[in-house]
Amino acid sequence: MKNLLNATALTALTAALLCAATAAQAQAPKQPLRIGMTFQELNNPYFVTMKQALEEAAATIGATVVTTDARHDVAKQIGDVEDMIQKKVDILLLNPTDSTGVQSAVRSAKKAGLVVVAVDANAQGPVDSFVGSKNTDAGRLACEYLAKNIGEKGDVAILDGIPVVPILERVKGCREALAKYPGIKVVSTQNGKQERATALTVTENILQANKNLKGIFSVNDGGSMGALAAIDASGKDVKLTSVDGAPEAIKAMQKPGSKFIATTAQYPRDQIRLAIGIALAKKWGANVPAAVPVDVKLIDAEGAKTFTW
């Protein structure tokens, strides 16, 4: 479990967990399982895809689902968890908007007897397991590709995001990759808040302040679309890489002459399937790993032709 999971191993593990848990459930009293999931946001195709995968997987085992959108408000997310406890969900899938801030909610859920699995971003507190992408690798892959495509020299900017662990890890991986190239200098790191409109404005300012900019790394595809709009409007030859593999980004990369040259793809559906399988296995008495790292893959314009979540 400590090793990176490739696609074949991931599929096999998910299927095995779901089959084992479903078999165990068949021996239990006939009462539908209730799965609750609180998302940090649902105004993002990545998390919308997760929600769809959750509903599909739950339907296969006859479970009911309760989902909430924290809208990046930790107080709301804590309240949402408390509400799910009152609704007597059996399993809590937690996509924290603030890894530290939700700690009290995790404790409350565990005290109430819920199985708690963090998804995409880990949470402080007694979670049973964490399923998430190798985000340091994601940042590293994207920025290695960026470095190669600007000729291993020139000024680069980082379009940062909210300070949750996955974003911090992506920036860390990016900086590690760029540090290997003496000819590359990170001249600006600005917070685009992972939002198109904010990222557009922030990128416009970065471009104006850095006349010799050659590349930008965005921590997510939502922000990258705003950055791409700013780059295109400027007329500058500034290359862009990102993380996620979102449909809109995949489409943008395939346009002739696109400055958006690569994104490191995550697998939101696989994360959810694994999280449910692990939660069910824990619910029915199995030992589960503390963390399950999920593979990521660099997608360039050529790879984008066949890639989909």
Coordinates of all heavy atoms in Angstrom, one line a residue, residues 205-260:
N205 N -1.4 40.8 -14.0 CA -0.4 41.6 -13.2 C 1.0 41.0 -13.3 O 2.0 41.7 -13.3 CB -0.9 41.7 -11.7 CG -2.2 42.5 -11.6 OD1 -2.5 43.3 -12.4 ND2 -2.9 42.2 -10.5
I206 N 1.0 39.7 -13.2 CA 2.3 39.0 -13.3 C 3.0 39.3 -14.7 O 4.2 39.6 -14.7 CB 2.2 37.5 -13.1 CG1 1.8 37.2 -11.7 CG2 3.5 36.8 -13.5 CD1 1.5 35.7 -11.4
L207 N 2.2 39.2 -15.7 CA 2.7 39.5 -17.1 C 3.2 40.9 -17.2 O 4.3 41.2 -17.9 CB 1.7 39.2 -18.1 CG 1.3 37.7 -18.3 CD1 0.1 37.5 -19.1 CD2 2.5 36.9 -18.9
Q208 N 2.5 41.9 -16.7 CA 2.9 43.3 -16.8 C 4.1 43.6 -16.0 O 5.0 44.4 -16.4 CB 1.7 44.1 -16.3 CG 0.5 44.2 -17.2 CD -0.7 44.9 -16.6 OE1 -0.6 45.5 -15.5 NE2 -1.8 44.8 -17.3
A209 N 4.3 42.9 -14.8 CA 5.5 43.1 -14.0 C 6.7 42.4 -14.4 O 7.8 42.7 -13.9 CB 5.1 42.8 -12.5
N210 N 6.6 41.4 -15.2 CA 7.7 40.5 -15.6 C 7.7 40.4 -17.1 O 7.2 39.5 -17.7 CB 7.6 39.2 -14.9 CG 7.5 39.3 -13.4 OD1 8.6 39.3 -12.8 ND2 6.3 39.2 -12.9
K211 N 8.4 41.4 -17.8 CA 8.4 41.5 -19.2 C 9.1 40.3 -19.9 O 8.8 40.0 -21.1 CB 9.1 42.8 -19.7 CG 8.5 44.0 -19.1 CD 7.0 44.2 -19.4 CE 6.5 45.5 -18.9 NZ 5.0 45.6 -19.2
N212 N 10.0 39.6 -19.2 CA 10.7 38.5 -19.8 C 10.2 37.1 -19.4 O 10.9 36.1 -19.5 CB 12.2 38.6 -19.5 CG 12.8 39.9 -20.0 OD1 12.6 40.3 -21.1 ND2 13.6 40.6 -19.2
L213 N 9.0 37.1 -18.9 CA 8.4 35.8 -18.4 C 8.3 34.8 -19.6 O 7.9 35.1 -20.7 CB 7.0 36.0 -17.8 CG 6.5 34.9 -16.9 CD1 7.3 34.9 -15.6 CD2 5.0 35.1 -16.6
K214 N 8.7 33.5 -19.2 CA 8.7 32.5 -20.2 C 7.7 31.4 -19.9 O 7.3 30.6 -20.8 CB 10.1 31.8 -20.4 CG 11.2 32.8 -20.9 CD 10.9 33.3 -22.3 CE 11.9 34.2 -22.8 NZ 11.6 34.8 -24.1
G215 N 7.4 31.2 -18.6 CA 6.5 30.1 -18.2 C 5.7 30.4 -17.0 O 6.2 31.2 -16.1
I216 N 4.6 29.7 -16.8 CA 3.7 29.8 -15.6 C 3.3 28.4 -15.3 O 2.9 27.6 -16.1 CB 2.5 30.7 -15.8 CG1 2.9 32.2 -16.1 CG2 1.6 30.6 -14.6 CD1 1.7 33.1 -16.4
F217 N 3.4 28.1 -14.0 CA 2.8 26.9 -13.4 C 1.6 27.2 -12.6 O 1.7 28.1 -11.7 CB 3.8 26.1 -12.6 CG 3.2 25.0 -11.7 CD1 2.6 23.9 -12.4 CD2 3.1 25.1 -10.4 CE1 2.0 22.9 -11.6 CE2 2.5 24.1 -9.6 CZ 2.0 23.0 -10.2
S218 N 0.4 26.7 -12.9 CA -0.8 26.9 -12.1 C -1.1 25.6 -11.3 O -0.9 24.5 -11.8 CB -2.0 27.2 -13.0 OG -3.2 27.1 -12.3
V219 N -1.5 25.8 -10.0 CA -1.7 24.7 -9.2 C -3.0 23.9 -9.5 O -3.1 22.8 -9.0 CB -1.7 25.1 -7.7 CG1 -0.4 25.6 -7.2 CG2 -2.9 26.1 -7.4
N220 N -3.8 24.4 -10.3 CA -5.0 23.6 -10.8 C -5.5 24.1 -12.1 O -5.1 25.2 -12.6 CB -6.1 23.7 -9.7 CG -7.0 24.9 -9.8 OD1 -6.5 26.0 -10.1 ND2 -8.3 24.8 -9.5
D221 N -6.3 23.3 -12.7 CA -6.8 23.7 -14.1 C -7.8 24.8 -14.1 O -7.9 25.5 -15.1 CB -7.4 22.4 -14.7 CG -6.3 21.5 -15.3 OD1 -5.2 21.9 -15.3 OD2 -6.7 20.3 -15.6
G222 N -8.6 24.9 -13.0 CA -9.5 26.1 -12.9 C -8.8 27.4 -13.0 O -9.1 28.2 -13.8
G223 N -7.7 27.5 -12.2 CA -6.9 28.7 -12.3 C -6.2 28.9 -13.6 O -6.0 30.0 -14.2
S224 N -5.8 27.7 -14.2 CA -5.0 27.8 -15.4 C -5.8 28.4 -16.6 O -5.3 29.0 -17.5 CB -4.5 26.4 -15.8 OG -5.6 25.6 -16.3
M225 N -7.2 28.2 -16.6 CA -8.0 28.7 -17.7 C -8.0 30.2 -17.6 O -8.0 30.9 -18.7 CB -9.4 28.1 -17.6 CG -9.5 26.6 -17.8 SD -8.5 26.0 -19.2 CE -9.4 26.8 -20.5
G226 N -8.0 30.8 -16.4 CA -7.9 32.2 -16.3 C -6.5 32.7 -16.7 O -6.4 33.7 -17.4
A227 N -5.5 32.0 -16.3 CA -4.1 32.3 -16.7 C -4.0 32.3 -18.2 O -3.3 33.1 -18.8 CB -3.1 31.4 -16.0
L228 N -4.6 31.2 -18.9 CA -4.5 31.1 -20.3 C -5.1 32.3 -21.0 O -4.6 32.8 -22.0 CB -5.1 29.8 -20.7 CG -5.1 29.5 -22.2 CD1 -3.6 29.3 -22.7 CD2 -5.8 28.2 -22.6
A229 N -6.3 32.7 -20.5 CA -6.9 33.9 -21.1 C -6.1 35.1 -21.1 O -6.0 35.9 -22.0 CB -8.3 34.1 -20.4
A230 N -5.4 35.3 -19.9 CA -4.5 36.4 -19.8 C -3.3 36.3 -20.7 O -2.9 37.3 -21.3 CB -4.0 36.6 -18.3
I231 N -2.7 35.1 -20.8 CA -1.6 34.9 -21.7 C -2.0 35.2 -23.2 O -1.3 35.9 -23.9 CB -1.0 33.5 -21.6 CG1 -0.4 33.3 -20.2 CG2 0.0 33.2 -22.7 CD1 -0.1 31.9 -19.9
D232 N -3.1 34.6 -23.6 CA -3.6 34.8 -25.0 C -3.8 36.3 -25.3 O -3.5 36.8 -26.4 CB -4.8 34.0 -25.2 CG -4.5 32.5 -25.3 OD1 -3.4 32.1 -25.5 OD2 -5.5 31.7 -25.2
A233 N -4.4 37.0 -24.3 CA -4.7 38.4 -24.5 C -3.4 39.3 -24.6 O -3.4 40.3 -25.3 CB -5.6 39.0 -23.4
S234 N -2.4 38.8 -23.9 CA -1.1 39.6 -23.9 C -0.3 39.4 -25.2 O 0.5 40.2 -25.6 CB -0.2 39.1 -22.8 OG 0.4 37.8 -23.0
G235 N -0.6 38.3 -25.9 CA 0.2 38.0 -27.2 C 1.6 37.5 -26.9 O 2.4 37.4 -27.9
K236 N 1.9 37.3 -25.7 CA 3.3 36.8 -25.3 C 3.4 35.3 -25.5 O 2.5 34.6 -25.4 CB 3.6 37.2 -23.9 CG 3.7 38.7 -23.7 CD 4.1 39.1 -22.3 CE 4.3 40.6 -22.1 NZ 4.8 40.9 -20.7
D237 N 4.7 34.9 -25.7 CA 5.0 33.5 -25.8 C 5.3 32.9 -24.4 O 6.5 32.8 -24.1 CB 6.1 33.2 -26.8 CG 6.4 31.8 -27.0 OD1 5.5 30.9 -26.7 OD2 7.5 31.4 -27.5
V238 N 4.3 32.7 -23.6 CA 4.5 32.2 -22.3 C 3.8 30.9 -22.2 O 2.6 30.7 -22.4 CB 3.9 33.2 -21.2 CG1 4.0 32.6 -19.8 CG2 4.6 34.5 -21.3
K239 N 4.6 29.8 -21.8 CA 4.1 28.5 -21.8 C 3.4 28.3 -20.4 O 3.8 28.8 -19.4 CB 5.2 27.5 -21.9 CG 6.0 27.6 -23.2 CD 5.1 27.2 -24.4 CE 6.0 27.0 -25.7 NZ 6.7 28.2 -26.1
L240 N 2.4 27.4 -20.4 CA 1.6 27.2 -19.2 C 1.4 25.7 -18.9 O 1.1 24.9 -19.8 CB 0.2 27.8 -19.4 CG -0.8 27.5 -18.3 CD1 -0.5 28.2 -17.0 CD2 -2.2 28.0 -18.7
T241 N 1.7 25.3 -17.7 CA 1.4 23.9 -17.2 C 0.6 24.0 -16.0 O 0.5 25.0 -15.3 CB 2.7 23.1 -17.0 OG1 3.4 23.6 -15.9 CG2 3.5 23.0 -18.3
S242 N -0.1 22.8 -15.6 CA -1.0 22.8 -14.5 C -1.2 21.4 -13.9 O -0.4 20.5 -14.3 CB -2.4 23.4 -15.0 OG -3.3 23.4 -14.0
V243 N -2.2 21.3 -13.1 CA -2.5 20.0 -12.5 C -4.0 19.8 -12.5 O -4.8 20.7 -12.2 CB -2.0 19.9 -11.0 CG1 -2.5 18.6 -10.3 CG2 -0.5 20.1 -10.9
D244 N -4.5 18.6 -12.8 CA -5.9 18.2 -12.7 C -6.3 17.2 -13.8 O -6.7 16.1 -13.6 CB -6.9 19.3 -12.6 CG -7.1 19.8 -11.2 OD1 -6.7 19.0 -10.2 OD2 -7.6 20.9 -11.0
G245 N -6.2 17.7 -15.1 CA -6.7 16.9 -16.2 C -8.2 17.2 -16.5 O -8.9 16.3 -17.0
A246 N -8.7 18.4 -16.1 CA -10.1 18.7 -16.3 C -10.4 18.8 -17.8 O -9.6 19.2 -18.6 CB -10.3 20.1 -15.7
P247 N -11.7 18.4 -18.1 CA -12.1 18.4 -19.5 C -11.8 19.7 -20.3 O -11.4 19.7 -21.5 CB -13.6 18.1 -19.4 CG -13.7 17.4 -18.2 CD -12.7 18.0 -17.2
E248 N -12.1 20.9 -19.7 CA -11.9 22.1 -20.4 C -10.4 22.4 -20.7 O -10.0 22.9 -21.7 CB -12.4 23.3 -19.5 CG -12.4 24.6 -20.3 CD -13.1 25.7 -19.5 OE1 -13.3 25.6 -18.3 OE2 -13.4 26.8 -20.1
A249 N -9.5 22.0 -19.7 CA -8.1 22.1 -19.9 C -7.6 21.2 -21.0 O -6.8 21.6 -21.9 CB -7.3 21.8 -18.6
I250 N -8.1 20.0 -21.0 CA -7.7 19.0 -22.0 C -8.1 19.5 -23.4 O -7.3 19.3 -24.4 CB -8.4 17.6 -21.7 CG1 -7.8 17.0 -20.4 CG2 -8.2 16.7 -22.9 CD1 -6.4 16.7 -20.5
K251 N -9.2 20.1 -23.5 CA -9.7 20.6 -24.8 C -8.8 21.8 -25.2 O -8.4 21.9 -26.4 CB -11.2 21.1 -24.7 CG -11.7 21.6 -26.0 CD -13.2 22.0 -25.8 CE -13.8 22.5 -27.1 NZ -15.3 22.9 -26.9
A252 N -8.5 22.7 -24.3 CA -7.7 23.9 -24.6 C -6.3 23.5 -25.1 O -5.7 24.2 -25.9 CB -7.6 24.8 -23.3
M253 N -5.7 22.5 -24.5 CA -4.4 22.0 -24.9 C -4.3 21.6 -26.3 O -3.2 21.6 -27.0 CB -3.9 20.9 -24.0 CG -3.6 21.4 -22.6 SD -3.4 20.0 -21.4 CE -2.3 18.9 -22.3
Q254 N -5.4 21.1 -26.9 CA -5.4 20.6 -28.2 C -5.6 21.6 -29.3 O -5.5 21.3 -30.5 CB -6.5 19.5 -28.4 CG -6.3 18.3 -27.4 CD -7.5 17.3 -27.6 OE1 -7.7 16.7 -28.6 NE2 -8.2 17.1 -26.5
K255 N -5.8 22.9 -29.0 CA -6.0 23.9 -30.0 C -4.6 24.2 -30.6 O -3.6 24.3 -29.9 CB -6.6 25.2 -29.3 CG -8.0 25.0 -28.8 CD -8.5 26.3 -28.2 CE -10.0 26.1 -27.8 NZ -10.5 27.4 -27.2
P256 N -4.6 24.4 -31.9 CA -3.3 24.7 -32.6 C -2.6 25.9 -32.0 O -3.2 26.9 -31.8 CB -3.7 25.0 -34.0 CG -5.0 24.2 -34.2 CD -5.7 24.3 -32.9
G257 N -1.3 25.7 -31.6 CA -0.5 26.9 -31.1 C -0.9 27.2 -29.6 O -0.4 28.3 -29.1
S258 N -1.6 26.3 -28.9 CA -2.0 26.6 -27.5 C -0.7 26.8 -26.7 O 0.2 26.1 -26.7 CB -2.8 25.5 -27.0 OG -3.2 25.8 -25.6
K259 N -0.8 27.8 -25.8 CA 0.3 28.1 -24.8 C 0.1 27.1 -23.6 O 1.1 27.0 -22.8 CB 0.2 29.5 -24.3 CG 0.3 30.6 -25.4 CD 1.6 30.4 -26.3 CE 1.6 31.5 -27.4 NZ 2.7 31.3 -28.3
F260 N -1.0 26.5 -23.5 CA -1.3 25.5 -22.5 C -0.7 24.2 -23.0 O -1.2 23.5 -23.8 CB -2.8 25.4 -22.2 CG -3.1 24.7 -20.9 CD1 -4.4 24.9 -20.4 CD2 -2.2 24.0 -20.2 CE1 -4.8 24.3 -19.2 CE2 -2.6 23.4 -19.0 CZ -3.9 23.6 -18.5

